[in-house]
């Protein structure tokens, strides 16, 4: 199966990177970015989830970053920023239930830090902000469920 192509991209907006859009274009560009993100996320979820990445040419998933669902971890904060609270909460709950970092796998320390750890820290900070309404229940309950035991815990 092939990934669905995205056909609404207007390449004329890519000319002159230093040109700022007119205020009237701002909303349209924001929606185009949201559409592009949703297109990419939906294709990842349909063709690659829970693999690390979506291979765009074959439209298949691959575990090329340690098998930790890297795209999910890296995308949690983007889901929140895009205002998709239901998908954010669904993916947080999925991560709690399914992601296990106790694996013997060679990984890129840099990529794991910026994408996995960075995504989790950003998601945690965003979820704690009650003004954003990202979690339907109290954050303390899901955070406690996902907390890794410290060496001093009994």
């Amino acid at each position: 199966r092939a990934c669905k192509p995205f056909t609404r991209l207007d390449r004329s907006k890519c000319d002159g990177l230093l040109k700022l859009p007119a205020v009237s274009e701002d909303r349209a560009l924001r929606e185009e970015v949201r559409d592009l993100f949703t297109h990419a996320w939906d294709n990842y979820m349909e063709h690659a989830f829970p693999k690390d990445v979506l291979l765009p040419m074959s439209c298949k998933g691959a575990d090329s970053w340690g098998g930790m669902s890297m795209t999910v971890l890296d995308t949690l904060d983007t889901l929140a920023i895009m205002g998709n609270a239901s998908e954010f909460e669904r993916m947080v709950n999925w991560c709690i239930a399914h992601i296990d970092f106790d694996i013997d796998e060679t990984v890129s320390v840099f990529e794991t830090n910026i994408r996995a750890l960075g995504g989790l820290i950003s998601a945690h900070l965003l979820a704690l902000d009650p003004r954003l309404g990202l979690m339907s229940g109290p954050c303390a309950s899901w955070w406690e469920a996902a907390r890794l035991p410290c060496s001093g815990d009994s």
Side-chain angles (χ1 to χ4, degrees), residues 70-88:
M70 186 66 84
T71 294
V72 172
L73 297 173
D74 195 20
T75 306
L76 289 171
D77 55 352
T78 306
L79 289 167
I81 290 167
M82 293 287 180
N84 194 339
S86 61
E87 186 70 352
F88 175 85

Side-chain angles (χ1 to χ4, degrees), residues 102-139:
D102 190 17
I103 55 175
D104 189 14
E105 180 75 32
T106 302
V107 297
S108 165
V109 174
F110 177 75
E111 290 291 331
T112 302
N113 279 325
I114 66 167
R115 296 182 69 200
L117 184 59
L120 287 169
I121 290 171
S122 298
H124 175 70
L125 293 173
L126 290 164
L128 288 177
D129 189 336
R131 297 170 298 173
L132 300 177
L134 293 171
M135 301 300 289
S136 60
C139 290

Side-chain angles (χ1 to χ4, degrees), residues 13 19-30:
K13 292 184 177 121
K19 258 194 304 185
L20 294 175
V23 174
S24 61
E25 289 182 277
D26 193 39
R27 209 170 253 131
L29 290 172
R30 183 173 49 221

